[in-house]
C-alpha cells in the first residue's frame, strides 16, 4: 500500500454505545474511526427499508455522502418468533413509542410475553451492517446471533439501566451462563455465536481486500 496513514472511517451514528461497537468492529485495522461530532456533521437517514441490512445500507450511504469519507453503519433488532405479527424486529427501539425510555420498553415487552412460557420465550438478535463511500455501499451483511429467552419478570432481569445502551440486553437471558446478555463477557458472547463477533470477522475479511485494492486517505480509488 502506498499510503501508510490510517484511513478515516465515520462511525455513522449519534449513539455513543453504538459508536463503541462500531469502533470495536474496526479495531486493529489501519482505519481511523471518526465520530459525527468530531467531523462536525449530522444526518437523518431514511430507516423505512424492509430489512436491517437495507436500513444499514441507507444509513451508511447517507452518512458517507455528508461526511465525504467512508462510513460504517448498523441496524439491529430482536427477533421474537412467538409474537408473530405483534412484533417487528425493525421497530425494536421504537415499538413502545418515541417517548418511552428503556424501562418502559422493557416493561412493555414483558407484558407482551406474559402469555408465553418455555421455548415460546425464545429470542435472538439480528444485525445489519454496511460500509459505504460517496453514497454507494461497498459491502453489507445481515447476521443472526445467539438465541436466548426473554426473562419472566423484571426481578430476573439485569440492571434495567444497563445493557450497553441496548435496552433489550438486560431482559435477554442465557441459561447456560445463568445471566442476561449485558452481563456476559466478550468470550462468553463469542462462544454463543454472537452477532457482533460474526460481523467483526466479516469486516476484517472485507477490509483485507478493500485496503489491498488501494485505499487512499480519502477513501477507495
Amino acid at each position: 500500500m502506498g499510503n501508510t496513514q490510517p484511513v478515516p472511517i465515520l462511525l455513522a451514528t449519534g449513539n455513543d454505545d453504538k459508536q463503541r461497537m462500531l469502533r470495536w468492529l474496526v479495531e486493529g485495522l489501519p482505519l481511523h474511526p471518526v465520530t459525527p461530532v468530531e467531523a462536525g456533521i449530522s444526518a437523518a437517514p431514511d430507516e423505512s427499508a424492509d430489512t436491517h441490512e437495507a436500513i444499514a445500507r441507507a444509513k451508511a450511504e447517507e452518512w458517507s455522502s455528508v461526511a465525504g469519507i467512508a462510513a460504517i453503519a448498523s441496524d439491529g433488532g430482536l427477533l421474537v418468533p412467538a409474537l408473530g405479527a405483534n412484533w417487528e424486529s425493525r421497530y425494536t427501539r421504537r415499538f413502545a413509542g418515541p417517548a418511552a425510555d428503556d424501562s418502559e420498553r422493557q416493561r412493555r415487552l414483558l407484558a407482551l410475553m406474559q402469555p408465553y412460557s418455555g421455548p415460546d420465550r425464545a429470542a435472538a438478535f439480528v444485525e445489519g451492517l454496511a460500509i459505504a463511500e460517496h453514497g454507494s455501499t461497498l459491502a453489507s451483511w445481515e447476521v443472526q446471533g445467539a438465541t436466548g429467552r426473554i426473562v419472566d419478570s423484571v426481578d430476573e432481569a439485569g440492571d434495567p439501566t444497563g445493557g450497553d445502551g441496548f435496552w433489550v440486553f438486560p431482559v435477554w437471558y442465557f441459561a447456560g451462563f445463568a445471566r442476561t446478555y449485558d452481563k456476559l463477557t466478550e468470550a462468553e458472547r463469542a462462544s454463543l455465536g454472537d452477532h457482533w463477533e460474526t460481523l467483526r470477522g466479516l469486516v476484517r475479511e472485507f477490509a483485507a481486500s478493500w485496503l489491498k485494492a488501494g485505499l487512499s486517505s480519502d477513501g477507495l480509488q
Side-chain angles (χ1 to χ4, degrees), residues 156-168:
E156 189 185 10
D159 178 1
T161 62
D164 298 328
F166 298 89
W167 72 267
V168 299

Side-chain angles (χ1 to χ4, degrees), residues 87 91-97 104-105 108-109 112 167:
W87 183 265
Y91 307 136
T92 296
R93 183 162 185 82
R94 304 188 296 275
F95 90 99
E104 174 65 11
R105 295 182 185 104
R108 290 278 297 276
L109 176 57
L112 284 174
W167 72 267

